[in-house]
Amino acid sequence: MTQHLPDALTVEAGAIVALRLFDIAYAIDLAAAQAAWARHTQGASSGRRSQLSGTPAKAIAFDVPPVLLPLDSVTLTLPGGDVLAQASARLYDFGVVALAVRITIEQRSWAEFNELIEAVNLAIGGVATTSIWDDLLAGLKPLIAGALTRPTTSTIQEDYLLGIVHRWNETLTAAELQDRVDLVPMLSGERRPLSEGARRELLRQRYSYYEDDLVVLTWDRAFIYEPRGDSDVADVLEVANAQLLELRYYDELLDDELPRMNDLVDETRGSIGVLAPRRFAHLARRLYTLVADVTEITEKVDNALQVTEDVYLARIYSAALELFRVPNVSSAVDRKLSIIRDTYTALYDEASGARGELMELAIVVLIVAEIVLALLRH
């Protein structure tokens, strides 16, 4: 059995990146956000449109490139002392902002790297109770308020943790790396030994393109060994998280809407008189607007990243979507939209039928009036 020697390797250059994603609006006008940011920085920076750095645009590209804004640095209080971290925000046109806090790593043993990742997770990860993310978001939103279409107050969030190594103190292939270090504690956050089955499952999503790179994905963390220094894999994982967040938001919105819709339908069907057709039509228009809005955004989400030729990144992207259960949430949204569409169609038919009945009644009344008037004249 291979002996793992976690202290035998040193991370000469790398990073730990914590992500926290929020839904802040129905949509974001990215050009307006850039202009607002330029005014805030007095022309020093307007942010930049994100592109994948190591991949040709014809192979894989953003449908609408998001805007990356540099934020003020933040100080993290960790067990080993305070650490200064870079903060940034990436705005997606479908209303999501991805906040990132990045700690640059230099000359750390693998054991120290693992300890620091866990310290970052406890300080600002998914289990942490911290105001850092809320403070970053509270500082950003007023500056781009004019670029937000129908701002939301959603509490749904997604978080993700990346351990990135660009250079070791030795030249290693991906196979040699997996023999030399145990990735399981970093990926699981567990310090107790895992069962062999749990270890296999945790390491199942492993990908390499060159012999000296490696990506291992889990539900809430990833390890990236990328000696060329590009950020394409990290960017792709962020997009997958943004898609998950947005679909979760609309899944919950439709969960809330369906019971309300049923109550309104029952109330409308219980109405009588000349106003009934108008109420049917009004509710049908409301449901049609909801379907149109959700469909528009989910299409933007589905097309956020266009993959054509890059097989390696496409595999990582597809694996991340499956791992995050994005197709399952998307299917749930589609099913609920289908229910609302069917209800809209039924309401429209009922409105048309009720309007036809009123027209028939009006014609009968006019005929009777004509007959009465004719009898009175004679």
Side-chain angles (χ1 to χ4, degrees):
M1 181 176 177
T2 301
Q3 178 69 33
H4 291 293
L5 300 171
D7 288 323
L9 288 175
T10 297
V11 179
E12 290 194 342
I16 295 171
V17 181
L19 297 174
R20 185 67 61 92
L21 297 92
F22 302 83
D23 183 283
I24 61 172
Y26 172 74
I28 302 175
D29 184 333
L30 299 182
Q34 281 185 282
W37 191 255
R39 289 193 297 272
H40 168 65
T41 60
Q42 298 180 340
S45 170
S46 62
R48 61 180 177 85
R49 290 299 182 105
S50 300
Q51 298 288 351
L52 298 177
S53 58
T55 308
K58 67 174 184 176
I60 182 170
F62 292 105
D63 182 38
V64 179
V67 172
L68 183 63
L69 304 176
L71 304 179
D72 293 336
S73 298
V74 296
T75 299
L76 303 183
T77 301
L78 304 179
D82 289 350
V83 176
L84 192 65
Q86 301 167 295
S88 63
R90 198 176 333 244
L91 309 178
Y92 292 86
D93 70 321
F94 47 81
V96 168
V97 58
L99 299 177
V101 170
R102 181 186 185 93
I103 300 172
T104 300
I105 303 298
E106 294 178 344
Q107 301 300 329
R108 296 268 190 166
S109 72
W110 177 244
E112 292 172 332
F113 187 79
N114 271 312
E115 290 172 3
L116 190 54
I117 283 181
E118 203 52 41
V120 170
N121 183 56
L122 292 174
I124 59 173
V127 298
T129 55
T130 177
S131 64
I132 284 180
W133 300 113
D134 291 337
D135 292 344
L136 288 172
L137 191 62
L140 173 66
K141 287 174 72 173
L143 301 176
I144 60 169
L148 305 182
T149 301
R150 285 157 44 190
T152 66
T153 56
S154 171
T155 58
I156 301 175
Q157 303 173 16
E158 285 295 332
D159 61 89
Y160 207 72
L161 193 60
L162 301 170
I164 303 170
V165 176
H166 294 308
R167 188 173 68 253
W168 299 95
N169 62 324
E170 300 178 26
T171 302
L172 294 173
T173 66
E176 291 169 341
L177 173 61
Q178 293 174 84
D179 279 339
R180 294 285 298 278
V181 303
D182 186 4
L183 295 172
V184 169
M186 192 226 95
L187 294 168
S188 66
E190 298 286 350
R191 291 299 172 258
R192 294 177 58 191
L194 299 186
S195 70
E196 195 58 37
R199 291 177 60 87
R200 282 197 304 270
E201 182 63 25
L202 199 67
L203 298 172
R204 185 169 57 88
Q205 302 285 3
R206 289 178 289 183
Y207 303 92
S208 291
Y209 187 71
Y210 299 106
E211 68 172 10
D212 62 346
D213 61 27
L214 177 66
V215 176
V216 188
L217 306 180
T218 71
W219 163 256
D220 58 352
R221 300 186 187 194
F223 170 77
I224 301 173
Y225 173 36
E226 177 47 74
R228 280 153 292 281
D230 69 59
S231 62
D232 289 0
V233 170
D235 291 344
V236 162
L237 294 177
E238 183 185 291
V239 174
N241 273 286
Q243 291 173 295
L244 172 63
L245 173 70
E246 191 68 355
L247 289 171
R248 281 186 58 212
Y249 171 77
Y250 281 101
D251 186 45
E252 291 199 11
L253 182 146
L254 294 176
D255 275 342
D256 293 338
E257 187 62 33
L258 286 173
R260 188 180 303 120
M261 178 192 73
N262 291 332
D263 291 341
L264 289 172
V265 169
D266 291 341
E267 180 183 334
T268 302
R269 282 179 173 152
S271 62
I272 58 174
V274 296
L275 294 180
R278 181 177 298 179
R279 289 174 179 167
F280 278 123
H282 176 74
L283 181 54
R285 281 194 299 272
R286 179 178 177 278
L287 296 179
Y288 176 80
T289 300
L290 175 64
V291 169
D293 286 349
V294 177
T295 301
E296 178 186 12
I297 289 298
T298 52
E299 285 179 356
K300 283 185 178 182
V301 172
D302 290 340
N303 297 320
L305 202 61
Q306 303 292 330
V307 180
T308 53
E309 298 177 12
D310 194 305
V311 177
Y312 175 60
L313 274 183
R315 286 177 62 202
I316 293 174
Y317 179 50
S318 298
L321 293 177
E322 288 291 338
L323 195 59
F324 301 162
R325 303 197 305 272
V326 172
N328 292 348
V329 182
S330 181
S331 296
V333 170
D334 287 341
R335 285 195 301 273
K336 291 162 190 173
L337 282 177
S338 179
I339 293 171
I340 295 176
R341 287 191 192 98
D342 292 343
T343 303
Y344 157 75
T345 301
L347 283 173
Y348 182 81
D349 291 343
E350 289 191 41
S352 299
R355 193 175 292 111
E357 290 174 2
L358 280 177
M359 291 293 294
E360 292 174 0
L361 179 60
I363 291 171
V364 170
V365 170
L366 288 173
I367 292 173
V368 170
E370 286 288 338
I371 293 172
V372 171
L373 290 173
L375 292 173
L376 290 175
R377 291 193 194 101
H378 294 84

